[in-house]
Amino acid sequence: MSQLTVNPLPWSATPVVRHWSATCLLLVLGCVAAGASERPAILEAIHHLENPRNLIRPGPRGELGAYQFREETWRMHTTMPFARAIERACSDHVAGLHFEWIRRGLERAGLPPSAYFVALAWNGGLKAAVRSEEHTSELQSRQYLVCRLLLEK
């Protein structure tokens, strides 16, 4: 059995390394159901994927905060002004609400609310996560997610 060697690079070393590391973390977490006890770890992994340096300037599509919410997603869960997404406590609150919305949607679709499916829905939307499972195996979907994140970021 070969041993995996991991370079001790910081999250901010390069976009590819940063996103590959966060993606690996999400995939490792993906083998457990995403219940209340796993929620903090999953949300922290998403935070490290989306905004590891806690930048407050908007992303390329206007995303804000620790989880890089888009305004439409923010409005699904709160009436707070979108500008408050840069406040970590507000962002954490909305992230928890969004996580639960995703979890319920996955369960309604008959999918396990694993960290993998939560991450897939967080990144591409709930409908896309459900559709991807209808057309491919979970392993193929995982490979797709890794490739997509590496190429996009």
Side-chain angles (χ1 to χ4, degrees):
M1 181 183 279
S2 63
Q3 185 175 4
L4 177 65
T5 305
V6 178
N7 286 335
L9 295 173
W11 281 100
S12 61
T14 67
V16 170
V17 169
R18 181 175 65 245
H19 292 288
W20 174 253
S21 299
T23 301
C24 288
L25 177 59
L26 288 170
L27 293 178
V28 168
L29 288 171
C31 40
V32 296
S37 62
E38 290 82 20
R39 186 171 86 176
I42 294 167
L43 289 177
E44 190 58 27
I46 290 170
H47 165 244
H48 280 289
L49 175 64
E50 295 290 345
N51 192 1
R53 296 182 314 194
N54 295 312
L55 300 175
I56 61 170
R57 70 176 178 262
R61 295 182 189 109
E63 308 92 342
L64 284 179
Y67 305 94
Q68 291 293 281
F69 285 111
R70 290 189 182 180
E71 189 166 3
E72 311 84 66
T73 304
W74 183 264
R75 296 265 173 252
M76 288 171 52
H77 305 293
T78 186
T79 58
M80 283 188 282
F82 181 54
R84 294 197 61 195
I86 63 172
E87 298 173 31
R88 183 64 192 261
C90 294
S91 201
D92 285 345
H93 174 72
V94 174
L97 296 172
H98 192 55
F99 176 95
E100 291 302 320
W101 178 82
I102 288 171
R103 183 189 57 75
R104 289 188 307 270
L106 291 170
E107 288 173 344
R108 276 193 306 273
L111 295 173
S114 65
Y116 162 71
F117 281 113
V118 170
L120 188 62
W122 197 286
N123 184 57
L126 184 58
K127 287 179 184 176
V130 170
R131 267 196 320 271
S132 75
E133 184 57 19
E134 291 172 358
H135 301 293
T136 62
S137 70
E138 186 168 337
L139 179 59
Q140 289 169 326
S141 295
R142 286 178 192 225
Q143 292 168 346
Y144 167 77
L145 177 62
V146 170
C147 291
R148 181 172 174 200
L149 289 173
L150 286 173
L151 293 174
E152 275 187 1
K153 307 293 180 176

